[in-house]
Amino acid sequence: MLDATTRSGGTATASPRATVTELALATEFVTPTAAPVGFTARCSRVLLSPWSRLSLLVALLAGAASTVLLFEPQRLLADGWPPQLGGAAAALVFAVAYGLCTVAFVPRPLLNLAAGALFGSQFGIASALAGTVLGAGISFGLGRILGQDALRPLLRGRWLKAADGQLSRHGFRSMLAARLFPGVPFWAANYCAAVSRMGYVPFLVATGLGSIPNTAAYVVAGARASTPTSPAFLIAMACIALPALVGAAIAWRKRHQLRGIR
């Protein structure tokens, strides 16, 4: 009896035992070799490291701030908006510019006053609020993607730990309070929230809701700046001053708790 092959119609067919033997012999001469780590892979690890991403964030923010200083967007108040735009289209473009300017550390009160002076109360408030949420979302995204991994290990001071714990556990109400009562700079609140474990949606919702009173007050003040004795202007100025005083009072009462954090 033939063990290796059987002949049927002139066709040779290998037996299972021969096939297994050939495969075993073939695998003896195959030695697996690990693919060497190439230059591209090493460069990718370095570029995607937390500190490289943080450096990129710092470079982007520095470039944005430098661009704002060079182009001086405050000239819009004197020169006016481009004449080819008007109405809702102009307000939409201003909202985008507003958001980008807040990322570049332009103070929001100036932008809110500009929105009121350029578009009046209604369009000004809508444009300023849209720009506020847009700028906050961009800043939060940049901080979360490029800065969180590098900065979280540095949260060792008691003030930093307190802020991180508050935003991580009570993110919505903490951000809502920060937006309602001025005191913390807009950009600082954005990046502190990004470094914490606060969620993206609660951050945006709290920013949008909490920014309404202060933004509306500044926009109305900008729209009525030509009549500083009008009731609308005086009420707007009172709405600007009152939250600042309340925020200062709350910070004064909470100072002992903050000092007691270890």
Side-chain angles (χ1 to χ4, degrees):
M1 179 183 294
L2 294 178
D3 201 26
T5 59
T6 60
R7 299 191 177 275
S8 176
T11 304
T13 306
S15 67
R17 183 182 303 175
T19 304
V20 173
T21 305
E22 291 175 359
L23 291 175
L25 292 174
T27 54
E28 290 180 359
F29 296 98
V30 178
T31 56
T33 57
V37 179
F39 177 76
T40 304
R42 290 196 297 269
C43 289
S44 299
R45 283 204 300 266
V46 172
L47 292 176
L48 295 177
S49 66
W51 285 104
S52 296
R53 283 180 285 159
L54 180 62
S55 301
L56 176 60
L57 175 61
V58 173
L60 289 174
L61 296 180
S66 302
T67 302
V68 167
L69 292 177
L70 291 175
F71 285 95
E72 299 179 358
Q74 64 270 20
R75 289 183 301 178
L76 291 173
L77 292 176
D79 302 337
W81 200 246
Q84 63 269 22
L85 294 177
L92 179 61
V93 174
F94 182 85
V96 175
Y98 184 114
L100 296 177
C101 286
T102 57
V103 177
F105 308 112
V106 176
R108 284 183 61 250
L110 295 179
L111 297 171
N112 292 332
L113 291 173
L118 292 172
F119 305 109
S121 298
Q122 294 181 354
F123 274 124
I125 292 173
S127 181
L129 284 175
T132 296
V133 176
L134 175 64
I138 294 174
S139 299
F140 186 91
L142 289 174
R144 178 62 56 89
I145 296 172
L146 299 178
Q148 187 187 45
D149 292 340
L151 294 177
R152 281 203 65 81
L154 302 179
L155 299 177
R156 298 174 182 174
R158 61 179 185 177
W159 288 84
L160 295 176
K161 285 184 178 180
D164 175 62
Q166 187 70 20
L167 289 171
S168 298
R169 292 191 300 269
H170 312 291
F172 178 82
R173 71 183 187 187
S174 299
M175 187 54 56
L176 185 66
R179 302 306 193 193
L180 284 173
F181 305 111
V184 180
F186 183 74
W187 61 269
N190 294 338
Y191 290 110
C192 286
V195 174
S196 72
R197 295 186 176 90
M198 183 179 183
Y200 195 79
V201 173
F203 170 78
L204 291 180
V205 174
T207 296
L209 293 177
S211 299
I212 291 175
N214 187 263
T215 301
Y218 273 102
V219 171
V220 171
R224 301 301 179 91
S226 58
T227 56
T229 58
S230 62
F233 182 84
L234 296 176
I235 292 173
M237 295 304 297
C239 291
I240 292 172
L242 183 60
L245 294 175
V246 173
I250 293 175
W252 179 261
R253 292 185 61 182
K254 296 290 184 179
R255 73 190 190 282
H256 297 298
Q257 298 180 8
L258 293 175
R259 289 177 180 175
I261 296 174
R262 294 292 184 265

